[in-house]
Amino acid sequence: MAHSAGRPNDGGVQGEGNGPDAAAPPGAASAGRLRQGSRRPHQPKRRRLATRGALAAGLLCVGAVGYSVGEALTYPGDDSTEARLAGWAREHKLGAVVDKLENLQYELDPPHVGGSLPSEALARMKATAPAVPVRHHEVPLRASMPSLVTPALPGEGVWRVLSTAHGEPVVQGTYVRPDSDHTSYQAAIAWISGKKARFELHPGVREPGGSFSVPPNVPKGKRTGLLATWNGGFKVTDGGSRGGFYLDGETAGELRDGAAAEVFYKDGSIGIGKWGRDMRMTRDVVGVRQCLELMVDNGRVVPDIDVDSKWGATDQSRMFVPRSGVGVTAQGDVIMVVGQALTARTLAELMQQAGAVRAMPLDMNRAWPSFMSYDPTSDPANPKPTNILDFENPPERYYNQATRDFVAVYAK
């Protein structure tokens, strides 16, 4: 019995005064050890589960982003990889990052000041002779534009035939240098007879997207009589255009009073002006494409043309970058401008000097501005497209599914 005090179930003085369990009530020490022992085997398991959960969530995020980016890189159309990635970033609220990168790229590689046009551009400027015979009975060739840079180069400001309808030069174009500093760059100006052409608005696959009855391209069987195409404006879906898009009863975004607008009518005519003042929704309206505000109004460049917040992010309105715009003359003819190195001001001034009484900006940067004319000589059902200036997209851009909306022009 002398050794009975050492038995575990005795509750006696074994180890008394030697640890934290010494003063505990009977059974407390063993219960505490059981509780500790019950936690230890499960903690690593819980950690493993948490780690696996976090890893799975991370992989899902990476997979979702990867799928999203992959979809952006493979959707139909001729957009460059750079344009697709920039578009994806803007769609995912990373527009400020894209703007900063574009600003940085501009600072590192600004447009060249001075110099001469490249030989290809000089040849294009000199080529004023019509490629096909024209009659000029009802549509005369326009008088030459005064050169913005002196002395003028051969062919500078001289109008030439781009597309004909019934032998008349319905679409004419010319080339100029945009200002006296950027003399190694070209701007192209197109003029389209409002009386001899009809105008159609087309949606893009992704901008504005949706399910419109009009196709996002000029499909086979619908190309006879095609004279010209040009690009849409800032994106509607992310609010960049500060306006809306309407086509055959369907609306994307919101049509805003005061916004600059291209308006398309049932009879094939087009109007350009301030929505709510110069035009509004009527039964005759079949399409509306809004973008920012008028740059030219009542024949004058608007007073706030140098206010950055009106024409793009940060200071991009003062950057000499590719831009496009469209306007209308007092006679109802259309003026369309694309340039390689334009600011908001120089774009507006070119449209005004070409005769526009009201004009608006469209899109900017190499991926989006475009103007194509079409030659039906070889195949009237599939007229050959030609870029008035070379940007990223091929001349066949609108024969394929277009990412963004555009305008198609046909002979009446």
Side-chain angles (χ1 to χ4, degrees), residues 106 111 148 176-179 182 185-189 316-325 337-351 363-365 369 389 391:
Y106 186 85
L148 304 175
V176 297
R177 291 165 293 171
D179 61 72
H182 298 87
Y185 298 91
Q186 273 185 329
I189 306 167
Q316 290 183 348
S317 69
R318 285 177 286 179
M319 290 182 179
F320 290 86
V321 296
R323 296 177 190 268
S324 60
V337 172
V338 292
Q340 298 166 332
L342 300 176
T343 64
R345 173 174 284 279
T346 56
L347 171 62
E349 290 174 346
L350 280 174
M351 292 189 288
D363 221 328
M364 59 185 288
N365 296 327
L389 279 181
F391 292 112

Side-chain angles (χ1 to χ4, degrees), residues 10 21 75 95 161 171 175 305 313 365 368:
D10 186 84
D21 292 330
Y75 62 71
V161 180
V171 182
Y175 297 94
I305 191 63
N365 296 327
W368 309 121

Side-chain angles (χ1 to χ4, degrees), residues 219-284:
K220 290 183 177 180
K222 299 291 185 180
R223 298 172 183 174
T224 301
L226 183 64
L227 300 176
T229 50
W230 72 73
N231 61 281
F234 284 20
K235 293 180 69 173
V236 170
T237 53
D238 68 358
S241 70
R242 301 173 204 158
F245 180 99
Y246 170 85
L247 186 58
D248 287 346
E250 299 292 330
T251 303
E254 182 178 355
L255 297 179
R256 178 177 66 86
D257 283 348
E262 298 169 297
V263 182
F264 302 81
Y265 296 95
K266 287 181 179 179
D267 64 359
S269 62
I270 186 174
I272 296 169
K274 180 182 289 189
W275 185 254
R277 184 197 69 180
D278 303 316
M279 61 272 289
R280 53 184 51 85
M281 187 60 69
T282 68
R283 293 180 179 178
D284 293 328

Side-chain angles (χ1 to χ4, degrees), residues 274 277-278 294-302 356-359:
K274 180 182 289 189
R277 184 197 69 180
D278 303 316
L294 290 178
M295 287 182 150
V296 177
D297 197 8
N298 196 29
R300 299 178 180 176
V301 175
V302 295
V357 294
R358 294 183 301 279

Side-chain angles (χ1 to χ4, degrees), residues 105-334:
Q105 183 181 27
Y106 186 85
E107 291 173 3
L108 294 174
D109 186 23
H112 183 68
V113 173
S116 302
L117 289 175
S119 58
E120 182 179 347
L122 280 170
R124 183 163 47 198
M125 184 175 281
K126 292 178 182 179
T128 58
V132 295
V134 291
R135 291 200 296 260
H136 307 296
H137 291 168
E138 299 180 49
V139 183
L141 277 175
R142 306 190 76 212
S144 298
M145 279 184 60
S147 176
L148 304 175
V149 182
T150 56
L153 297 174
E156 187 167 15
V158 178
W159 295 88
R160 73 288 314 271
V161 180
L162 299 181
S163 297
T164 62
H166 311 295
E168 300 282 350
V170 174
V171 182
Q172 302 175 29
T174 190
Y175 297 94
V176 297
R177 291 165 293 171
D179 61 72
S180 57
D181 290 329
H182 298 87
T183 51
S184 62
Y185 298 91
Q186 273 185 329
I189 306 167
W191 172 93
I192 304 171
S193 170
K195 294 179 180 179
K196 297 294 183 180
R198 59 184 178 88
F199 303 82
E200 293 184 1
L201 178 63
H202 284 254
V205 173
R206 297 175 68 86
E207 183 61 36
S211 54
F212 294 92
S213 58
V214 179
N217 67 332
V218 182
K220 290 183 177 180
K222 299 291 185 180
R223 298 172 183 174
T224 301
L226 183 64
L227 300 176
T229 50
W230 72 73
N231 61 281
F234 284 20
K235 293 180 69 173
V236 170
T237 53
D238 68 358
S241 70
R242 301 173 204 158
F245 180 99
Y246 170 85
L247 186 58
D248 287 346
E250 299 292 330
T251 303
E254 182 178 355
L255 297 179
R256 178 177 66 86
D257 283 348
E262 298 169 297
V263 182
F264 302 81
Y265 296 95
K266 287 181 179 179
D267 64 359
S269 62
I270 186 174
I272 296 169
K274 180 182 289 189
W275 185 254
R277 184 197 69 180
D278 303 316
M279 61 272 289
R280 53 184 51 85
M281 187 60 69
T282 68
R283 293 180 179 178
D284 293 328
V285 173
V286 296
V288 181
R289 206 315 178 181
Q290 295 186 332
C291 187
L292 305 184
E293 298 181 14
L294 290 178
M295 287 182 150
V296 177
D297 197 8
N298 196 29
R300 299 178 180 176
V301 175
V302 295
D304 52 359
I305 191 63
D306 295 316
V307 177
D308 291 332
S309 60
K310 293 183 69 69
W311 316 112
T314 62
D315 61 350
Q316 290 183 348
S317 69
R318 285 177 286 179
M319 290 182 179
F320 290 86
V321 296
R323 296 177 190 268
S324 60
V326 65
V328 64
T329 70
Q331 295 76 33
D333 301 322
V334 171

